[in-house]
Amino acid sequence: MLLISALLVINSVLAQQVDQNPALQAEIKKLDLAHAMAIYKGDALALDSLMDDDVTVNHPINQIVKEKKELLDLIKQGVIRYTSFERSPEAFLFFNDMVVVMGNEIVVPAQGAPNAEKRIQRRYTNIWIKKMPVGG
């Protein structure tokens, strides 16, 4: 019961932070949707600029990809390719220099990709971290 109470207090504080910083929420939402659009378009250049070199992602065929180069190669090779990609961010959790975005995606992988032409509804979680440039 104590844990549930603590979680409710934390969620309440986070919700207050969202209300207090709508500009930051709008900026993160824009980045999150740009990320989805870059995946949909197979735009490796845009993804390269949106993701840190130390990115780790869940690959659509249940593999964890720990290198940005590997992920970008999968996109360039058409392994990760969609005919439809719809992302709806639902929750923004703010922590110092980090924002966790949770939401819903509906995707249709393209022919030749895993689960080709199947409509897949899935949950997603992205973590956005503000990093200072080296020496900055």
Side-chain angles (χ1 to χ4, degrees), residues 39 57-65 70-71 74-75 78-82 85 105 107-110 113-116 120 122-123:
I39 292 170
V57 300
N58 283 312
H59 183 279
I61 57 171
N62 293 324
Q63 294 176 346
I64 296 174
V65 177
E70 181 181 357
L71 177 66
L74 290 169
I75 289 170
V79 176
I80 300 174
R81 200 165 34 103
Y82 301 97
F85 194 119
E105 293 177 335
V107 299
V108 178
N115 295 308
I120 301 168
R122 62 190 185 190
R123 305 296 300 165

Side-chain angles (χ1 to χ4, degrees), residues 83-107:
T83 59
S84 177
F85 194 119
E86 193 178 314
R87 178 178 286 175
S88 301
E90 298 170 19
F92 296 81
L93 309 175
F94 292 80
F95 305 89
N96 295 328
D97 293 334
M98 179 178 76
V99 179
V100 177
V101 181
M102 301 168 75
N104 181 50
E105 293 177 335
I106 300 172
V107 299

Side-chain angles (χ1 to χ4, degrees), residues 12-136:
S12 173
V13 169
L14 292 173
Q16 290 172 7
Q17 289 177 347
V18 172
D19 291 340
Q20 293 171 2
N21 202 337
L24 180 58
Q25 181 174 335
E27 179 183 350
I28 296 298
K29 183 176 183 178
K30 182 178 174 181
L31 288 169
D32 200 58
L33 293 174
H35 176 259
M37 185 58 67
I39 292 170
Y40 173 64
K41 289 182 175 182
D43 188 344
L45 187 60
L47 284 170
D48 188 30
S49 71
L50 286 166
M51 297 184 306
D52 190 71
D53 290 338
D54 295 327
V55 69
T56 300
V57 300
N58 283 312
H59 183 279
I61 57 171
N62 293 324
Q63 294 176 346
I64 296 174
V65 177
K66 294 184 178 184
E67 294 180 13
K68 180 163 67 170
K69 181 188 177 317
E70 181 181 357
L71 177 66
L72 295 177
D73 286 346
L74 290 169
I75 289 170
K76 290 175 187 175
Q77 295 164 9
V79 176
I80 300 174
R81 200 165 34 103
Y82 301 97
T83 59
S84 177
F85 194 119
E86 193 178 314
R87 178 178 286 175
S88 301
E90 298 170 19
F92 296 81
L93 309 175
F94 292 80
F95 305 89
N96 295 328
D97 293 334
M98 179 178 76
V99 179
V100 177
V101 181
M102 301 168 75
N104 181 50
E105 293 177 335
I106 300 172
V107 299
V108 178
Q111 196 164 34
N115 295 308
E117 300 179 6
K118 293 182 183 174
R119 184 178 184 273
I120 301 168
Q121 184 167 359
R122 62 190 185 190
R123 305 296 300 165
Y124 80 95
T125 301
N126 284 339
I127 299 172
W128 295 87
I129 300 173
K130 182 176 184 175
K131 290 189 169 184
M132 300 304 288
V134 177

